[in-house]
Amino acid sequence: MLKMALASTPTTRPDGQPEQAVAVVCIGMAGAGKTTFMQRINAHLHAKKEPPYVVNLDPAVTYSPYQSNIDIRDSVNYKKVMEEYNLGPNGGIMTSLNLFTTKVDQVIGLLEKRAAPDPENPNRKPVKHILVDTPGQIEAFVWSASGSILLDSIASSFPTVLAYIVDTPRASSTSTFMSNMLYACSILYKTKLPMIVVFNKTDVKDASFAKEWMTDYEAFQQALDNDQRGNAFGGEEGSGSGSGYMGSLLNSMSLMLEEFYCHLNVVSVSSLNGTGIDEFFEAVKEKADEFRRDYQPELDRLRAEKEENKRKQREKELEKMMKGMSMGDAPSSSAVGDIKADDDEMEPLSSDEDSDEIDDEQDAEGLQARYEAAMLHQENSVTADASFAKYLHSQRGQ
């Protein structure tokens, strides 16, 4: 079972609470410069003498420009997975993630150990940042069961921030920009984690236009009209009208996403020359505080609700099995009671019946107590959800 206590470091925040390592999960479409961005922020933290703990979750990457502390490629061979299961590239990535997720408890244990002080080595500083790189096939991670498990596990132990990387030159058209925003919106509400939108490659094209579109509805409408007049959405040659359907759709989406923009931090960076990295980490700090203030209580509530439902299900299963046992043992109990009454005439039958009922109740209570103790002992293993019938069978076999 994953540890739910948040790992802490010896430093403290202004409010007096212990400082916690912050997990930054980098997500972005293929070609957005996600790996280069990871290299840049990793080098930035090393330059500040605050080396991060780096986790690579992309099994298909052939070359990584940075060194990972935990690398999925050390545990899973992507090419062999494709060959063994007859899978394509995306299927191989998902299967590799599924295999890696079976060891998620070990991964979280390593992260928590590295983010906490080491009594045996007091000179080693706990890490302040955990950087997580994800596969370029964004849907294979965000919308897969293994991706959800990995994100939930990290968020259960550390304040977690999503960094959604956007290719700024590609997002210069209104349609591509809106596609990226819709993707970011869906990821935000799927993961329920704070997000920073990072407009990358600003050395090629400045991201001021994107920030203006996100804050000024009229500016986006003007850009949308320009794209329509330039036939950016198709249409008859020389008409200058474009696709009226596409323009209407983008117009409606921009109105819908106004509320979504309010919950985002937007930064523009260049992974090539390092501009905007300080601004990015300021946004990370702000989002980490937001995680503790707004997201952590909700995660705790959902976790407690899940545990309560699990407990009720076990009690329901136990009650059902106990009723089944009492119905099946009724004939034998009465038969034994009659024999005892025949052998011992000094003791009335009613007393024997009462004694048998008491013994049955004590046996049932003892069996229930033993089962609950066994289930509590098995909480940390994969057999935590084993049925009461299996437990009863194993007890009778001893």
Side-chain angles (χ1 to χ4, degrees), residues 164-181:
Y164 182 76
I165 315 301
V166 179
D167 189 341
T168 306
R170 291 186 183 179
S172 57
S173 68
T174 53
S175 57
T176 308
F177 170 81
M178 190 56 62
S179 297
N180 273 282
M181 293 301 101

Side-chain angles (χ1 to χ4, degrees), residues 141-157:
F141 177 77
V142 176
W143 278 275
S144 65
S146 55
S148 298
I149 292 173
L150 288 167
L151 278 178
D152 291 345
S153 300
I154 295 173
S156 69
S157 297

Side-chain angles (χ1 to χ4, degrees), residues 158-382:
F158 306 96
T160 304
V161 179
L162 299 180
Y164 182 76
I165 315 301
V166 179
D167 189 341
T168 306
R170 291 186 183 179
S172 57
S173 68
T174 53
S175 57
T176 308
F177 170 81
M178 190 56 62
S179 297
N180 273 282
M181 293 301 101
L182 286 174
Y183 232 105
C185 180
S186 62
I187 293 173
L188 177 67
Y189 290 107
K190 170 66 170 62
T191 60
K192 298 180 177 62
L193 293 172
M195 175 182 289
I196 303 172
V197 176
V198 181
F199 286 98
N200 195 16
K201 304 182 183 180
T202 55
D203 54 290
V204 178
K205 184 175 180 59
D206 188 77
S208 57
F209 73 94
K211 294 181 178 180
E212 185 181 15
W213 289 353
M214 297 177 70
T215 56
D216 189 346
Y217 174 76
E218 297 297 333
F220 182 80
Q221 290 301 308
Q222 182 62 42
L224 184 59
D225 292 339
N226 293 337
D227 284 347
Q228 284 184 300
R229 285 195 296 267
N231 290 331
F233 310 134
E236 297 181 2
E237 187 68 24
S239 65
S241 61
S243 172
Y245 170 76
M246 178 62 76
S248 176
L249 178 62
L250 294 177
N251 184 34
S252 300
M253 289 179 178
S254 63
L255 287 171
M256 178 195 71
L257 291 177
E258 277 190 320
E259 181 66 24
F260 165 68
Y261 295 150
C262 298
H263 300 281
L264 296 177
N265 281 44
V266 181
V267 297
S268 56
V269 305
S270 172
S271 299
L272 182 64
N273 54 36
T275 58
I277 300 300
D278 288 326
E279 182 184 354
F280 169 75
F281 279 105
E282 289 176 4
V284 168
K285 184 178 180 180
E286 181 179 340
K287 284 299 180 182
D289 293 336
E290 181 181 332
F291 178 93
R292 300 183 186 97
R293 182 181 67 251
D294 300 332
Y295 289 81
Q296 189 67 52
E298 179 65 13
L299 289 174
D300 292 340
R301 185 190 67 80
L302 293 175
R303 190 181 301 118
E305 182 178 346
K306 183 178 179 181
E307 291 296 328
E308 180 65 17
N309 293 335
K310 188 176 181 180
R311 184 187 65 80
K312 290 181 179 179
Q313 182 64 26
R314 286 182 178 176
E315 290 181 353
K316 184 178 180 180
E317 182 182 1
L318 177 61
E319 182 180 359
K320 181 178 179 181
M321 292 302 302
M322 295 301 295
K323 288 182 179 179
M325 288 178 55
S326 62
M327 292 176 63
D329 293 343
S332 59
S333 298
S334 59
V336 173
D338 292 340
I339 293 174
K340 286 183 178 180
D342 291 338
D343 291 341
D344 190 0
E345 296 180 357
M346 297 296 296
E347 200 167 357
L349 181 61
S350 59
S351 299
D352 290 337
E353 291 175 347
D354 294 341
S355 177
D356 291 340
E357 291 177 358
I358 294 174
D359 291 341
D360 290 341
E361 292 177 357
Q362 291 176 346
D363 291 342
E365 292 176 356
L367 185 58
Q368 180 175 352
R370 280 183 291 158
Y371 171 66
E372 293 177 347
M375 292 305 294
L376 180 62
H377 176 70
Q378 295 176 351
E379 191 70 27
N380 293 332
S381 68
V382 297

Side-chain angles (χ1 to χ4, degrees), residues 130-148:
I130 299 170
L131 307 182
V132 183
D133 195 7
T134 59
Q137 286 76 359
I138 187 172
E139 67 281 353
F141 177 77
V142 176
W143 278 275
S144 65
S146 55
S148 298

Side-chain angles (χ1 to χ4, degrees), residues 56-63 72-73 78 89 93 96 135 137:
N56 174 45
L57 297 180
D58 189 353
V61 64
T62 56
Y63 168 74
I72 187 175
R73 296 174 297 174
Y78 169 69
I93 290 175
S96 298
Q137 286 76 359

